[in-house]
Amino acid sequence: MATYVMSDIHGEYEKFIDLLDKIELKDTDTLYVLGDIVDRGLHPIQVIQKLMLMPNVICLVGNHELMALENLEFLMQEVTSDTINKLNEDMLEGLLVWRDVNGGQTTINEFRTLNKEGQREVIEFLRELYVYEEICVEGKDYILVHAGLGGYNAEKSLEDYSLKELLWDRADYNIMYDRDKYVVTGHTPTQYILENPKPGYIYKHNHHIAIDCGAYLKDGRLAAICLETGREYYSFSNNVNS
């Protein structure tokens, strides 16, 4: 039995399958995915459909799933004068920002190919994602969350953090959040962590373990780590969108 963590697949289906092959995930193992499954890469819905078939995978929500859920539910509705009237300026701006700035077009494209039942299954999958997980592996305690603990305060419990603080605010790797726990996050590609001596590879510092290695970026990687051994795994396989 082993415990693996990966994050920010971003629709890179080929890299996802390649990484599963590399870690040789067994039915007795557990894989945690720390959000941002969708958007940017070509096949986000394909990744979701694969995850749906994997009972030993626990998926957390990322900021991209929040955006997708808000907009896909609206797009599922029949276009009527009533639904058009409900599309206010804020909703339209949110849809356009998700689609054009945050890579939501690829998610929309694949979502539209599904029948209504398939679309409902995707929506239900997104609704059921966990916000964070606390686990103990080999005597070490871990907090698994998409982005970090924004507005960190040692007196705050995890329940006191807002979705923005957990899913949008980037981790501060210069702060050790908890001497007794390791915080595993995605959200920030390690290529963008200035202190990281190996950009594009998993970054460990101050009890942080940052595992978003920019799968959707040119020359980016999809990464996973085994918490029992600390071994790191990477997929470099080429996706036509990379």
Side-chain angles (χ1 to χ4, degrees):
M1 295 171 57
T3 309
Y4 299 93
V5 190
M6 70 172 66
S7 188
D8 294 76
I9 301 169
H10 276 306
E12 297 287 348
Y13 182 78
E14 291 180 11
K15 289 180 181 175
F16 177 53
I17 297 302
D18 180 60
L19 194 55
L20 289 178
D21 290 341
K22 286 182 175 177
I23 65 178
E24 298 180 337
L25 189 72
K26 302 177 179 62
D27 292 341
T28 54
D29 298 333
T30 302
L31 169 64
Y32 291 89
V33 179
L34 306 188
D36 281 9
I37 301 161
V38 300
D39 300 345
R40 303 196 188 282
L42 293 180
H43 299 296
I45 301 301
Q46 222 174 312
V47 176
I48 286 177
Q49 290 173 323
K50 174 64 176 176
L51 290 168
M52 287 178 176
L53 301 175
M54 302 175 69
N56 56 337
V57 177
I58 297 172
C59 294
L60 276 58
V61 64
N63 57 306
H64 281 262
E65 280 74 45
L66 281 188
M67 290 185 285
L69 187 57
E70 292 170 358
N71 290 289
L72 292 179
E73 287 185 309
F74 179 80
L75 293 175
M76 272 192 71
Q77 300 179 61
E78 182 182 354
V79 178
T80 65
S81 58
D82 185 49
T83 56
I84 291 174
N85 290 334
K86 288 179 182 178
L87 186 59
N88 58 42
E89 187 174 333
D90 288 341
M91 289 180 66
L92 180 58
E93 182 181 0
L95 174 60
L96 294 178
V97 168
W98 173 56
R99 187 193 70 179
D100 299 334
V101 178
N102 289 300
Q105 186 64 61
T106 59
T107 303
I108 294 170
N109 291 345
E110 277 203 314
F111 187 76
R112 283 176 169 166
T113 67
L114 303 177
N115 59 28
K116 287 297 182 182
E117 181 180 357
Q119 290 179 347
R120 282 191 291 269
E121 288 175 350
V122 168
I123 294 291
E124 194 59 33
F125 173 85
L126 295 176
R127 283 178 179 158
E128 293 179 353
L129 297 176
Y130 293 85
V131 177
Y132 59 82
E133 282 282 279
E134 294 183 90
I135 61 175
C136 182
V137 177
E138 298 287 311
K140 293 181 180 179
D141 292 321
Y142 297 87
I143 297 171
L144 311 181
V145 65
H146 176 63
L149 305 178
Y152 173 72
N153 186 321
E155 303 301 317
K156 288 170 70 171
S157 66
L158 284 172
E159 292 81 4
D160 294 329
Y161 287 90
S162 67
L163 283 179
K164 176 182 178 296
E165 291 171 327
L166 297 172
L167 306 184
W168 282 95
D169 292 352
R170 300 196 184 277
D172 187 342
Y173 305 106
N174 294 314
I175 297 176
M176 184 182 292
Y177 292 151
D178 195 321
R179 291 186 178 276
D180 300 319
K181 296 180 180 179
Y182 293 84
V183 182
V184 188
T185 55
H187 191 52
T188 301
T190 63
Q191 289 90 332
Y192 301 156
I193 300 174
L194 297 180
E195 302 85 0
N196 185 7
K198 292 182 65 179
Y201 291 85
I202 290 173
Y203 177 64
K204 301 175 183 177
H205 183 65
N206 277 339
H207 280 212
H208 289 274
I209 304 176
I211 64 172
D212 175 6
C213 294
Y216 71 93
L217 298 173
K218 183 179 181 181
D219 300 324
R221 303 164 183 84
L222 183 62
I225 186 169
C226 176
L227 296 184
E228 282 82 1
T229 65
R231 182 176 176 185
E232 301 171 12
Y233 301 82
Y234 298 92
S235 173
F236 301 84
S237 65
N238 293 322
N239 184 301
V240 292
N241 196 53
S242 295

